Amino acid sequence: MNGKQRYIGLVIFLVAAISAMVWAYGFVTNRQQGPDGMSIGVVRIDDVLEFNPSYADYKQAKNELELLQRQYELEQQALNAKSETQDEQLKTLALDSTLSDALTVELQTRIATKENELNQQLNSKRNELTQKYLAELKVSTNEYDLEIVNLQLDLYAYDARVYIDDAQRAAAMAEKAKKEERLKELLAKRKPSDFDVDSIKAKVQAELAPMQQKGQEELNQYAASLQKELAEKRDSMVQQQAQAIIANNNLPVAQEWNDTWAKKLSDKEAEVSALHEAILEDVRMRVTIIAEEQHLDLVIIDDGGNIKGLDITDAVKASYRVQ
């Protein structure tokens, strides 16, 4: 009786244990089964990546990429601000009339100087021609000039005389007046008439006309040449000042700067991507091995803990610890 009871109790215990095992197995199996009866596993990828030996290199490369991107943004902002300042400086230079005004004064001064020079040459020639034609109208010097000289000497002598009395002075002054009148007559005879003066002017003007025309043409050519010279001088000076502004700002060539930074960022992004992909590939390999060991048909990355399936995250972590 007692033996049978012990046997029955043992059977009940074994049945209960087997039932518990079946229930437990059924619970796990239900967690792994998908809608189509597939065995599903899940892995929390973010918890696994840091166990990879290359994860520190990946994090460092990623941080370097973020620093590069920040540096790029800061440099871009600084260069844009500097470029705007340079544009304003160049605009101010272009609108500044100080240089143009100074060169305009120089142009006017040099043209006036040239014009005076040509006028002096013209006046000199006019005087030369006038003297020439006046000389042709003069009466022979043998006829009047000697008497004129004598009269001038006599008149000078009257001023140097010492008179005894008023009567002598009065007589001398009367004689002096006659000689002065005679001197005027002689001098008048030596002068050309109004008709002769007009004739001389016409001759002089006729001979000066080609010289005047030539002088005007020379002045016009000089003014045009000088204006071109000063315009080139102005452009050169403005260009030098603009180059000084550009050199002072020392901005890089935009395309070269963009290309350099594009390569820097691209190279670093490629490095980060390669490291990340290598880590993921290593994780995929380990997940594949563990999935085969666990007889899983599918392993899904779980980011939020909402996917039902066998969690193999710890198993993947453990695979790194045994290396």
Side-chain angles (χ1 to χ4, degrees), residues 46-69:
D46 290 338
D47 294 345
V48 172
L49 294 180
E50 63 186 23
F51 283 83
N52 188 281
S54 299
Y55 184 75
D57 295 336
Y58 163 71
K59 286 293 292 183
Q60 181 179 349
K62 190 175 181 181
N63 289 336
E64 290 173 354
L65 175 59
E66 292 174 354
L67 289 175
L68 271 180
Q69 290 172 333

Side-chain angles (χ1 to χ4, degrees), residues 17-32:
I18 292 171
S19 298
M21 291 176 62
V22 172
W23 176 83
Y25 177 76
F27 175 78
V28 174
T29 301
N30 289 338
R31 293 268 296 179
Q32 297 177 27

Side-chain angles (χ1 to χ4, degrees), residues 83-96:
S83 178
E84 290 177 2
T85 300
Q86 177 175 285
D87 289 344
E88 287 298 323
Q89 291 172 337
L90 293 175
K91 186 184 296 183
T92 300
L93 174 63
L95 296 176
D96 187 4

